[in-house]
Amino acid sequence: MIQLVRGFKDILPGEIELWQYIEDVMRGICEDFGFSQIRTPILERTELFSRGIGATTDIVEKEMYTFADLKNASLSMRPEATASVVRAYIEHKMYARNPVQKLYSMGPMFRRERPQKGRYRQFYQINAEVFGLHSPKIDAELILILMTLMDKLSFSDIILNVNSLGCEKCRPAFKEKLQTYLNERIETLCPDCRRRSAINPLRVFDCKVSSCQESLEGAPTIVDLLCEECQNHFSAVLDFLDRFQIPYQLNPRLVRGLDYYTRTAFEVLASRLGAQNAVAGGGRYDGLVKALGGPAQPGVGFAIGLDRLASLLSDRAPGFVKRPNVFIAALGSRAQDRAFVWLQTLRFEGIRTEMDVEDRSLKSQMRQADKSGASYVLIVGERELEEGVAVWRDMSTKEQKTVPLEEVVTFVKKNVAGSASD
Ligand code: HAM
């Protein structure tokens, strides 16, 4: 048997309905907040990610699926969507029509991380990105969107972490201070962090090695070194979160694993998820559009990990599986043929209908009807055809009544009306 590639997974019927539900809720919210959908390809030029996410991030250094295509261009499976959406914004000159663009997207991402519960090599994200707006109102609005989704999905045990990462004016001084701090403890750092501390010291905050984490206790934090504009921006974001009554925790160590962030950074954590506890993350990236060759337009956005969100809701999954309204149990070839036409007619009427076209025994068909979770069963056999009626059985009350054959479709429509669209 040929098996799945490690770290990849199938999403099967029974689970997928929950995924679709989450996607539908998010689509509805995004559209209410004025976002339009964008779909970008899974494959991009490697350079987009090395320049966009940062050449010294774990994602770019270790986790991308990269290969040379026939003409030797280096291509990569996208590890995230933001760089691609920025590329599309620039490539299609979307900014020329209107610099303010609010875009959302959904789809698979690929990172060659060590697989474990909640961490896959192909996983799914829902992204929202806003271009062209500096205002802290937009940072708060994006967090509001995220929390609205959590609310609509009835999550309670989640924590929102927020931080500010400063800007190109105030971050260099912070980096320098952090570097000095790390240099004083260089022996306690893992080999990766020794290297990182020289080129990209913020990345040390992401390191999972305990000695590195211990060394960071007492490290300078960026919030203490923000310039006045960044400070005001951050205070305004927090002020709006208060006004929206969104609880949050300030986390001065939240740096996020991608290099493009400036100012606001946030993450939604769910303790129930265990080690891989981030359900969503995002922030502002005011320099990215320009760094990728576009105009100096700011950006801010987030991504939700759909796999993790769905796993948090998995106990609710059976509730989203659509059950037939009606199961037709037809016995004998004449009844089967007549029922097969009803089956299609009822489906066109928007009534979810199933039948067994293999003409199995009544007992077997009733078992199938029961298993399918159908609300009603329509029974028709040779005897019923002779009598000119079919039997209508309500599966919850077990009540039965007869319906004249010519009236079957109108009768079913009348009796199932209302439940057809749930
Ligand atoms: P990220 O924090 O790398 O951010 O990913 C966002 C979310 O994707 C995570 O919080 C997590 O739920 C999910 N995720 C990441 N890696 C995996 C994995 N290996 N398996 C399962 N789920 C995973 C970004 O990707 C940024 N592009 C977010 C953003 C958009 N920032 C601004 N705009």
Side-chain angles (χ1 to χ4, degrees):
M1 188 190 61
I2 300 169
Q3 290 185 330
L4 272 170
V5 178
R6 189 165 126 83
F8 288 63
K9 65 174 184 178
D10 298 310
I11 304 148
L12 302 177
E15 300 171 80
I16 199 73
E17 295 79 4
L18 169 64
W19 286 59
Q20 287 168 334
Y21 170 73
I22 299 171
E23 287 166 0
D24 286 348
V25 174
M26 191 58 189
R27 197 173 289 124
I29 298 172
C30 284
E31 279 161 19
D32 287 350
F33 279 80
F35 283 69
S36 309
Q37 196 175 20
I38 183 166
R39 296 189 195 187
T40 59
I42 281 166
L43 219 52
E44 298 270 7
R45 291 178 193 282
T46 303
E47 195 191 350
L48 174 68
F49 302 119
S50 48
R51 267 172 55 194
I53 300 170
T56 53
T57 56
D58 276 358
I59 297 179
V60 171
E61 273 187 344
K62 309 181 193 161
E63 297 168 1
M64 286 207 297
Y65 285 93
T66 297
F67 58 91
D69 81 350
L70 287 181
K71 286 192 178 147
N72 266 336
S74 177
L75 302 180
S76 293
M77 316 259 282
R78 62 178 183 195
E80 61 115 42
T82 312
S84 302
V85 178
V86 170
R87 180 199 46 69
Y89 176 76
I90 300 168
E91 189 161 351
H92 304 288
K93 297 197 170 50
M94 293 167 82
Y95 54 83
R97 252 172 294 139
N98 185 353
V100 180
Q101 297 283 338
K102 299 168 88 171
L103 304 166
Y104 76 97
S105 66
M106 302 179 179
M109 308 295 152
F110 303 84
R111 294 184 194 172
R112 207 179 180 294
E113 294 183 83
R114 199 170 49 78
Q116 65 179 87
K117 190 171 173 290
R119 191 159 71 191
Y120 310 100
R121 290 180 170 176
Q122 174 173 336
F123 58 97
Y124 291 78
Q125 283 186 346
I126 304 177
N127 277 258
E129 315 287 354
V130 176
F131 298 111
L133 294 168
H134 290 280
S135 168
K137 290 192 177 74
I138 300 308
D139 308 46
E141 184 175 276
L142 279 159
I143 295 176
L144 178 65
I145 292 175
L146 195 50
M147 299 320 269
T148 304
L149 175 70
M150 300 299 161
D151 205 41
K152 288 210 172 176
L153 298 176
S154 320
F155 275 122
S156 46
D157 48 355
I158 47 164
I159 298 166
L160 169 69
N161 272 354
V162 282
N163 193 19
S164 174
L165 297 176
C167 65
E168 57 188 10
K169 266 202 285 176
C170 51
R171 192 140 22 138
F174 167 67
K175 261 186 167 171
E176 223 182 284
K177 220 170 158 184
L178 182 61
Q179 235 153 12
T180 313
Y181 176 90
L182 293 172
N183 279 341
E184 285 162 5
R185 293 157 181 80
I186 201 83
E187 275 80 50
T188 62
L189 302 179
C190 73
D192 264 352
C193 284
R194 282 182 206 176
R195 192 172 49 85
R196 284 180 188 132
S197 67
I199 45 177
N200 197 350
L202 258 74
R203 295 275 65 89
V204 178
F205 282 103
D206 289 336
C207 185
K208 301 282 180 292
V209 177
S210 56
S211 62
C212 295
Q213 281 306 316
E214 280 158 26
S215 309
L216 281 168
E217 273 164 36
T221 53
I222 176 108
V223 271
D224 299 323
L225 295 159
L226 294 177
C227 62
E228 203 183 327
E229 281 119 314
C230 285
Q231 230 165 41
N232 292 340
H233 196 275
F234 192 40
S235 311
V237 175
L238 300 181
D239 180 43
F240 284 115
L241 294 185
D242 290 336
R243 287 174 194 235
F244 296 150
Q245 297 181 328
I246 297 175
Y248 58 82
Q249 266 179 18
L250 291 177
N251 179 355
R253 287 168 177 239
L254 176 71
V255 290
R256 314 265 305 118
L258 307 96
D259 277 350
Y260 49 61
Y261 291 110
T262 52
R263 295 192 166 167
T264 320
F266 53 91
E267 247 169 33
V268 175
L269 309 176
S271 53
R272 267 205 294 141
L273 282 173
Q276 299 306 317
N277 63 350
V279 193
R284 185 164 271 285
Y285 46 87
D286 288 346
L288 184 59
V289 178
K290 188 149 183 260
L292 291 176
Q297 289 292 348
V300 51
F302 66 74
I304 301 165
L306 201 44
D307 307 68
R308 293 183 190 173
L309 208 53
S311 88
L312 281 170
L313 293 174
S314 60
D315 52 340
R316 284 192 241 161
F320 294 103
V321 175
K322 292 232 162 40
R323 318 217 169 267
N325 303 114
V326 181
F327 189 96
I328 311 178
L331 295 138
S333 77
R334 274 206 315 144
Q336 277 269 323
D337 291 354
R338 186 124 189 211
F340 190 61
V341 178
W342 287 335
L343 172 74
Q344 312 305 344
T345 312
L346 289 170
R347 286 174 174 168
F348 277 113
E349 294 292 344
I351 295 170
R352 280 194 301 276
T353 313
E354 289 300 330
M355 73 174 272
D356 169 21
V357 294
E358 300 285 312
D359 195 10
R360 292 188 179 85
S361 69
L362 180 63
K363 200 169 153 204
S364 153
Q365 294 199 37
M366 290 309 285
R367 211 180 305 126
Q368 284 181 59
D370 208 34
K371 216 167 147 191
S372 75
S375 315
Y376 304 96
V377 183
L378 186 72
I379 307 161
V380 59
E382 271 307 318
R383 208 184 65 210
E384 284 76 18
L385 289 183
E386 295 290 304
E387 290 169 7
V389 290
V391 175
W392 178 250
R393 181 178 169 87
D394 184 323
M395 293 297 270
S396 54
T397 62
K398 311 288 178 217
E399 267 172 51
Q400 294 199 167
K401 52 176 113 168
T402 51
V403 189
L405 292 180
E406 324 62 70
E407 289 169 29
V408 159
V409 173
T410 19
F411 175 89
V412 174
K413 265 168 65 183
K414 210 167 86 200
N415 279 273
V416 176
S419 52
S421 55
D422 48 62

